[in-house]
């Protein structure tokens, strides 16, 4: 039987406005957002970076980040106004009534203490539990969150458990005092897809069985769709729309929401091959190791000219190491890399300028890939003058042309520093730098994974267009199968330093799969609120039979 | 030049004070012959004359004009301190960036060599070298610079190690760029902020080293005026309640404070790269 009180809102946010200080002036970050969370309800907040979703998540606890302030509105938690409440009141709420799970559990745990000690720290400190009670509580929650060896795992240190386990231990910590509300801020964003599933289903089951209300912040629609009863889409600190999950997925009303939904449907137009293109790069039984630790063993495949080969795998599968071998940064222990019929020397130091020019790389983190003290003119211009020897007017013209090709207006951007560019623009400058060398092979290392979905899509479209125009060959390293679906011609699946499967994209996405490929494919969240339920049911059946 | 005016506008009063003091010192040093009423080495009156209209700050132990020596002292002390610091930074930064960029044996060799020098107490090391090589101005600058460069080396290497690990340095390497380009264009601009701040600090320390060396009689040699030896030569006056020997000491204190104010401000300015 459901009592009346369970229908009363637990959290009511009205007209919330938050400002942040930028260049000595207060600028609005959140511009009047209303939301209501009922008891036991999971509320999803979706938006791109800078939309204000994490800020709202913190505001639900009555907190703002340093350099920000409440400019108006109210946050009413179970009848208590949190904005302007004394610090003591807000701290009293923390953990016992409202808890928070951060994106990076690895950065949030103290590496010097065992998990179970940290689990009990808060309740013991506040006198809510004794140490023994806290330990029993931890073990019970570890079991609920399906951690392996729940009786023992708490006695390990944070570095002794995996990222997914750490994230679940942190959720357990948040649940220690049975709070009424938990705020999850992108709890699975840093995890691999297969790990993400475990964490998602563990969190969902635990939240459901304890009847905890939750605010789930994420940029990944498919993930939120599994977790939330209700979804709110945010943009630039304003509500775009709010609806129950199923309604939102089946009939989004706002254009912005529709465009978010459409991102995943981008496909590079397929090219029917009259005859298969000749191979540009041949990787033959490459072994590589960091010191004594072997990371690649017997890797062989071919990159056809003018095509995109996606190298897929989870973190630690050796896909980035493979890029290092191709670049010559990590000389292969055995095997060889052939480019256009010529064997490349293993180390970049031994390669000629002409060899180096042929292989260029686009990095994952544009922030560290661009020298913060160089202007776009120099970043893009240097490879042109270095490899092609252009100077003065010719160099200037070529640089501007390249920026134009990247859909960046040279008049505006050529004299900017990287810090004056947005994430997507930085990545475009990174692409311009790679193409400035006029290479044949471009290695793209997770180039879209730190970008928002809409920006990522535009970068992918740009890469596809450039490939057509310049007959480029891409080796596209990614863990995101949606990206693979969008632009790959061929796929190579890697696991623990070995190639487990390779072939044309269409074959890879069609059964029968190698078991690992199948696992990867089935782990990609779909835009269907029942996907996780179905998947876990299937997995349970598979285990039982 | 809008950036310059904007920078000046945002300056805190301490930095304005620091810049003003440094400017005055530099002007005094440059125009010393015009400003000083007498020569720094001429005996112009009796010993230890009181302050008067003729000799504003009196005369020293040999009957030379105190004010003139104070003004010429700015020239000698500041110039030596500046060149010693600049040389120390040239040596230390180049070696530090080399060690960080090349790593391996080069790094080991340079770092251990620096460790050995640092293991010897600084002042003793300087005294030793000055006794061997004599006490000319050139030697003085070279010896102080070499000793100070060890600290600069450590800082430059530590800062550069963090930058060398960045993707943009890797990108420059696989582009085939030479060592000089990588050090000068990729690493140095990003390491400049802490090095500039350290420059101010080391400048003060060099100043103090020279002052203490002069006080021991091994720094700037007479009859050249310098503030450290002026304190030593006239120290007896203090026992008679005359504050004149404290004036050169105050001059040292003031420039030290001024430089530190400016360094503080630079540190604040550059701590966020975005600004």
């Amino acid at each position: 039987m459901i009592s009346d009180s369970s229908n009363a809102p637990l959290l009511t946010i009205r007209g919330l406005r938050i400002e942040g200080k930028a260049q000595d002036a207060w600028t609005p970050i959140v511009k009047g957002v209303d939301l209501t969370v009922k008891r036991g309800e999971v509320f999803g907040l979706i938006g791109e970076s800078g939309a204000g979703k994490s800020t709202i998540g913190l505001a639900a606890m009555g907190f703002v980040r340093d350099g920000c302030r409440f400019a108006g509105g109210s946050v009413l938690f179970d009848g208590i106004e949190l904005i302007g409440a004394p610090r003591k009141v807000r701290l009293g709420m923390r953990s016992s009534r409202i808890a928070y799970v951060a994106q990076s559990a690895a950065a949030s745990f103290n590496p010097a203490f065992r998990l179970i000690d940290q689990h009990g720290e808060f309740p013991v400190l506040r006198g809510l539990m004794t140490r023994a009670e806290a330990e029993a509580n931890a073990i019970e929650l570890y079991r609920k969150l399906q951690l392996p060896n729940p009786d023992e795992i708490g006695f390990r240190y944070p570095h002794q458990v995996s990222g997914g386990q750490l994230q679940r231990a942190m959720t357990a910590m948040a649940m220690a005092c049975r709070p009424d509300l938990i705020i999850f801020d992108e709890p699975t964003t840093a995890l691999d897809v297969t790990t993400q599933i475990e964490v998602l289903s563990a969190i969902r089951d635990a939240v459901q069985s304890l009847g905890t209300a939750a605010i789930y912040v994420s940029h990944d629609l498919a993930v939120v769709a599994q977790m939330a009863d209700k979804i709110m889409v945010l943009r630039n600190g304003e509500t775009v729309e709010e609806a129950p999950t199923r309604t939102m997925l089946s009939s989004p009303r706002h254009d912005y929401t529709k465009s978010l939904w459409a991102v995943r449907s981008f496909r590079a137009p397929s090219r029917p091959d009259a005859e298969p293109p000749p191979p540009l790069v041949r990787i033959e039984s490459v072994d590589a190791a960091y010191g004594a630790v072997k990371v690649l063993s017997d890797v062989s495949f071919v990159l056809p000219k003018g095509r995109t080969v996606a190298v897929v795998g989870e973190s630690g599968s050796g896909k980035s190491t493979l890029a290092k071998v191709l670049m010559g940064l990590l000389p292969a222990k055995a095997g060889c890399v052939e480019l256009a019929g010529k064997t490349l020397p293993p180390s970049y130091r031994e390669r000629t300028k002409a060899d180096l020019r042929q292989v260029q790389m686009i990095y994952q983190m544009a922030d560290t890939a661009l020298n913060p003290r160089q202007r776009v003119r120099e970043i893009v211009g240097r490879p042109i003058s270095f490899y092609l020897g252009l100077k003065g007017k010719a160099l200037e013209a070529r640089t501007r042309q390249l920026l134009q090709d990247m859909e960046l207006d040279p008049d505006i951007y050529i004299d900017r520093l990287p810090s004056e560019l947005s994430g997507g623009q930085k990545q475009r400058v990174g692409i311009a730098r790679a193409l400035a060398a006029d290479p044949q092979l471009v290695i793209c290392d997770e180039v879209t994974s730190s970008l928002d979905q809409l920006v990522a899509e535009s970068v992918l479209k740009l890469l596809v267009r450039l490939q057509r125009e310049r007959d480029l060959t891409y080796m596209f390293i990614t863990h995101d199968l949606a990206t693979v679906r969008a632009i790959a011609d061929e796929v190579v699946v890697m696991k623990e330093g070995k190639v487990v499967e390779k072939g044309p994209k269409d074959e890879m996405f069609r059964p029968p799969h190698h078991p690992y490929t199948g696992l990867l494919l089935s782990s990609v969240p779909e835009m269907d609120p029942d996907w996780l339920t179905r998947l876990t049911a299937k997995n349970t059946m598979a285990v039982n039979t | 030049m809008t950036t310059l005016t904007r920078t000046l506008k945002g300056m805190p009063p301490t930095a304005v004070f620091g810049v003003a003091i440094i400017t005055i010192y530099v002007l005094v040093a440059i125009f010393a012959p015009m400003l000083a009423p007498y020569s720094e080495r001429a005996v112009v009156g009796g010993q230890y004359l009181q302050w008067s209209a003729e000799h504003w700050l009196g005369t020293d132990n040999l009957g030379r004009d105190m004010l003139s020596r104070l003004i010429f002292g700015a020239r000698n002390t500041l110039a030596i301190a500046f060149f010693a610091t600049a040389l120390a930074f040239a040596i230390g930064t180049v070696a530090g960036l080399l060690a960080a960029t090349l790593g391996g044996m080069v790094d080991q060799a340079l770092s251990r060599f620096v460790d050995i020098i640092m293991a010897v107490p600084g002042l003793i090391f300087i005294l030793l070298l000055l006794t061997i090589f004599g006490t000319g101005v050139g030697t003085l600058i070279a010896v102080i610079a070499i000793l100070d460069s060890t600290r600069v080396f450590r800082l430059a290497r530590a800062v550069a190690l963090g930058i060398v690990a960045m993707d943009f340095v890797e990108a420059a390497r696989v582009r085939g760029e030479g060592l000089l380009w990588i050090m000068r264009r990729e690493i140095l601009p990003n390491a400049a902020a802490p090095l500039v701040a350290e420059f101010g600090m080391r400048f003060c320390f060099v100043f103090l080293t020279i002052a203490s060396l002069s006080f021991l009689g091994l720094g700037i040699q007479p009859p050249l005026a310098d503030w450290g030896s002026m304190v030593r030569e006239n120290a007896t006056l203090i026992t008679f309640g005359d504050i004149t020997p404290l004036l050169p000491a105050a001059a040292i204190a003031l420039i030290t404070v001024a430089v530190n104010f400016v360094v503080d401000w630079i540190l604040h300015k550059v701590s966020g790269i975005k600004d």
Side-chain angles (χ1 to χ4, degrees):
Chain A
M1 205 184 104
I2 300 164
S3 68
D4 274 356
S5 70
S6 71
N7 274 331
L10 176 67
L11 178 78
T12 314
I13 295 180
R14 285 283 164 266
L16 179 68
R17 287 188 294 121
I18 296 174
E19 296 179 340
K21 200 158 198 173
Q23 275 122 35
D24 297 330
W26 290 100
T27 43
I29 298 173
V30 177
K31 304 163 190 164
V33 167
D34 299 325
L35 67 85
T36 310
V37 182
K38 295 197 188 109
R39 278 177 196 282
E41 183 182 57
V42 178
F43 191 93
L45 276 179
I46 279 195
E48 301 185 40
S49 56
K53 49 195 196 306
S54 292
T55 311
I56 295 175
L58 283 175
M61 300 190 293
F63 281 87
V64 281
R65 287 200 190 92
D66 280 347
C68 297
R69 67 173 185 193
F70 288 113
S74 90
V75 176
L76 213 58
F77 176 80
D78 208 12
I80 305 160
E81 174 61 51
L82 292 181
I83 295 185
R87 193 176 156 75
K88 218 174 147 189
V89 173
R90 286 178 289 149
L91 276 181
M93 290 282 180
R94 278 295 292 281
S95 293
S96 52
R97 302 214 52 198
I98 310 177
Y100 181 77
V101 177
Q103 174 169 359
S104 170
S108 307
F109 271 102
N110 184 336
F113 292 97
R114 293 175 308 182
L115 296 177
I116 206 156
D117 296 335
Q118 299 189 50
H119 182 96
E121 194 180 350
F122 185 83
V124 172
L125 195 73
R126 308 223 109 209
L128 300 170
M129 290 178 200
T130 64
R131 244 189 111 77
E133 279 168 358
E135 282 189 9
N137 169 297
I139 290 167
E140 186 200 333
L141 283 168
Y142 291 158
R143 186 163 287 129
K144 227 179 197 64
L145 285 158
Q146 299 150 32
L147 280 161
N149 296 326
D151 295 323
E152 291 154 30
I153 194 163
F155 295 93
R156 296 201 206 154
Y157 288 91
H159 69 270
Q160 292 171 317
V161 303
S162 72
Q165 290 167 355
L166 213 52
Q167 202 69 50
R168 276 181 276 171
M170 190 154 140
T171 309
M173 199 157 115
M175 289 177 165
C177 297
R178 301 289 189 273
D180 301 311
L181 177 68
I182 302 182
I183 292 143
F184 292 97
D185 192 354
E186 308 247 11
T188 61
T189 305
L191 303 175
D192 279 323
V193 275
T194 50
T195 323
Q196 170 169 287
I197 303 262
E198 295 165 17
V199 176
L200 283 181
S201 60
I203 289 180
R204 196 174 66 163
D205 293 351
V207 166
Q208 274 172 1
S209 70
L210 295 177
T212 317
I215 293 179
Y216 198 99
V217 175
S218 178
H219 68 279
D220 191 335
L221 290 161
V223 166
V224 175
Q226 311 309 317
M227 308 299 285
D229 303 312
K230 212 196 258 177
I231 293 180
M232 175 184 275
V233 180
L234 288 168
R235 188 184 198 191
N236 300 331
E238 283 170 285
T239 310
V240 175
E241 64 177 302
E242 183 189 338
T245 303
R246 277 168 207 282
T247 322
M248 181 73 96
L249 286 177
S250 54
S251 49
R253 288 196 309 270
H254 203 280
D255 283 345
Y256 176 70
T257 319
K258 283 178 195 158
S259 71
L260 280 179
W261 264 234
V263 166
R264 280 164 177 269
S265 54
F266 168 67
R267 295 278 182 281
S270 66
R271 287 167 297 185
D273 286 328
E275 53 191 74
L280 175 74
V281 179
R282 203 185 285 279
I283 300 167
E284 268 175 60
S285 17
V286 162
D287 284 8
Y290 290 114
V293 185
K294 200 163 186 190
V295 260
L296 291 181
S297 57
D298 199 23
V299 172
S300 312
F301 59 92
V302 164
L303 294 147
K305 186 161 176 54
R307 294 290 180 267
T308 302
V309 175
V311 178
V312 188
E314 297 183 85
S315 50
S317 62
K319 51 194 198 305
S320 290
T321 309
L322 183 61
K324 281 200 151 67
V325 170
L326 286 186
M327 300 292 292
L329 283 163
L330 181 74
K333 283 252 152 42
C336 69
V337 178
E338 234 176 60
L339 181 97
K342 181 179 169 239
T343 304
L344 287 176
S347 166
Y348 74 93
R349 289 171 214 273
E350 295 149 28
R351 294 185 188 174
T352 64
K353 216 166 166 176
D355 288 340
L356 292 171
R357 187 173 73 86
Q358 300 298 348
V359 187
Q360 293 291 318
M361 177 141 166
I362 306 169
Y363 292 84
Q364 173 177 12
M365 304 294 293
D367 282 318
T368 57
L370 305 181
N371 189 333
R373 295 287 179 176
Q374 286 177 358
R375 301 194 178 271
V376 170
R377 176 193 300 279
E378 188 175 3
I379 294 172
V380 177
R382 178 62 189 172
I384 302 177
S385 58
F386 184 78
Y387 289 123
L388 311 175
L390 295 188
K391 283 197 188 90
K393 284 230 167 66
L395 173 62
E396 168 94 13
R398 185 72 169 254
T399 311
R400 286 176 169 271
Q401 183 57 45
L402 257 170
L403 290 178
Q404 203 99 58
D405 286 352
M406 299 308 132
E407 294 149 25
L408 291 172
D409 184 348
D411 292 331
I412 300 175
Y413 295 106
I414 197 163
D415 281 319
R416 289 211 184 173
L417 289 169
S419 58
E420 294 158 350
L421 301 173
S422 73
Q425 289 165 350
K426 277 184 220 171
Q427 202 54 285
R428 281 165 197 265
V429 172
I431 297 171
R433 176 176 64 184
L435 296 193
D438 200 10
Q440 297 206 53
L441 171 66
V442 177
I443 300 172
C444 307
D445 188 2
E446 304 267 13
V447 285
T448 55
S449 65
S450 61
L451 301 175
D452 283 321
Q453 293 189 43
L454 285 176
V455 183
E457 190 202 8
S458 69
V459 168
L460 287 183
K461 280 183 176 155
L462 172 69
L463 284 171
V464 168
R465 179 170 65 77
L466 292 167
Q467 178 171 48
R468 298 294 146 87
E469 287 170 8
R470 296 163 183 244
D471 199 24
L472 293 167
T473 307
Y474 290 151
M475 181 167 115
F476 210 95
I477 295 169
T478 183
H479 67 275
D480 181 18
L481 289 164
T483 313
V484 176
R485 233 187 261 263
I487 70 156
D489 296 302
E490 295 194 15
V491 183
V492 172
V493 182
M494 289 188 67
K495 190 192 182 195
E496 288 159 13
K498 293 190 184 79
V499 174
V500 294
E501 198 174 3
K502 56 187 170 190
K505 173 176 75 174
D506 297 337
E507 275 176 33
M508 300 299 285
F509 282 102
R510 207 184 306 128
H513 308 292
H514 179 278
Y516 181 69
T517 316
L519 177 65
L520 275 185
L521 284 173
S522 69
S523 302
V524 179
E526 286 167 23
M527 287 290 211
D528 168 5
D530 298 322
W531 165 79
L532 185 63
T533 318
R534 253 189 290 122
L535 186 75
T536 34
K538 207 161 76 185
N539 287 354
T540 326
M541 259 169 55
V543 169
N544 289 342
T545 45
Chain B
M1 280 290 94
T2 46
T3 43
L4 186 69
T5 46
R6 213 186 316 141
T7 314
L8 289 176
K9 233 184 219 171
M11 255 166 122
T14 49
V16 174
F17 171 79
V19 170
I21 295 293
I22 293 172
T23 317
I24 292 171
Y25 270 59
V26 170
L27 288 178
V28 166
I30 294 171
F31 298 108
M34 281 173 236
L35 290 172
Y38 304 96
S39 154
E40 61 179 314
R41 48 186 76 184
V43 176
V44 291
Q47 291 170 292
Y48 299 134
L49 288 183
Q50 290 288 313
W51 294 10
S52 65
E54 240 165 286
H55 303 289
W56 288 7
L57 300 177
T59 56
D60 69 355
N61 59 333
L62 296 177
R64 295 170 296 193
D65 184 60
M66 262 318 246
L67 178 63
S68 304
R69 282 183 69 73
L70 204 56
I71 290 170
F72 275 101
R75 199 171 229 210
N76 301 326
T77 322
L78 279 183
I80 293 178
F82 177 79
F83 285 117
T85 318
L87 189 59
F89 268 76
I91 301 170
T93 308
V94 170
L97 295 192
L98 263 179
T101 317
L102 290 175
M105 286 304 291
V106 178
D107 184 20
Q108 283 297 322
L110 282 170
S111 297
R112 295 300 80 78
F113 177 69
V114 164
D115 286 351
I116 291 169
I117 297 186
M118 288 181 103
V120 183
L123 205 53
I124 296 180
F125 187 78
I126 297 179
L127 290 178
L128 193 76
L129 289 181
L130 286 179
T131 331
I132 299 171
F133 296 109
T135 47
V137 172
T139 334
L140 191 65
I141 291 178
V143 168
I144 294 178
I146 288 170
L147 194 82
D148 251 27
S149 68
T150 55
R151 288 165 205 283
V152 181
F153 167 85
R154 284 214 163 169
L155 177 75
R157 177 179 172 272
V159 174
L161 276 180
I163 300 165
V164 165
M166 299 281 217
D167 288 338
F168 62 83
V169 178
E170 185 186 295
R173 277 190 173 153
V174 292
R175 196 191 305 145
E177 298 283 6
L179 183 64
L180 198 66
W181 169 280
I182 292 179
M183 277 167 52
R184 197 167 56 89
R185 304 306 295 269
E186 305 287 347
I187 299 177
L188 189 59
N190 290 293
L195 285 172
V196 166
E198 181 72 4
F199 187 91
M201 302 289 261
R202 295 251 64 92
F203 180 72
C204 292
F205 281 114
V206 168
F207 223 76
L208 297 176
T209 312
I210 296 174
S212 41
L213 282 175
S214 299
F215 188 82
L216 293 169
L218 281 166
I220 299 163
Q221 295 301 304
L224 287 182
D226 102 285
W227 296 335
S229 36
M230 284 168 71
V231 178
R232 175 178 58 111
E233 289 158 5
N234 303 299
T236 36
L237 275 183
I238 298 172
T239 40
F240 300 104
D242 190 334
I243 60 151
T244 312
L246 294 181
L247 291 176
I252 295 174
L254 190 60
I255 185 80
T256 311
V257 170
V259 168
N260 270 302
F261 276 156
V262 176
V263 165
D264 238 30
W265 169 64
I266 292 176
L267 266 183
H268 272 284
K269 276 312 265 191
V270 298
S271 52
I273 281 179
K274 269 187 184 158
D275 274 352

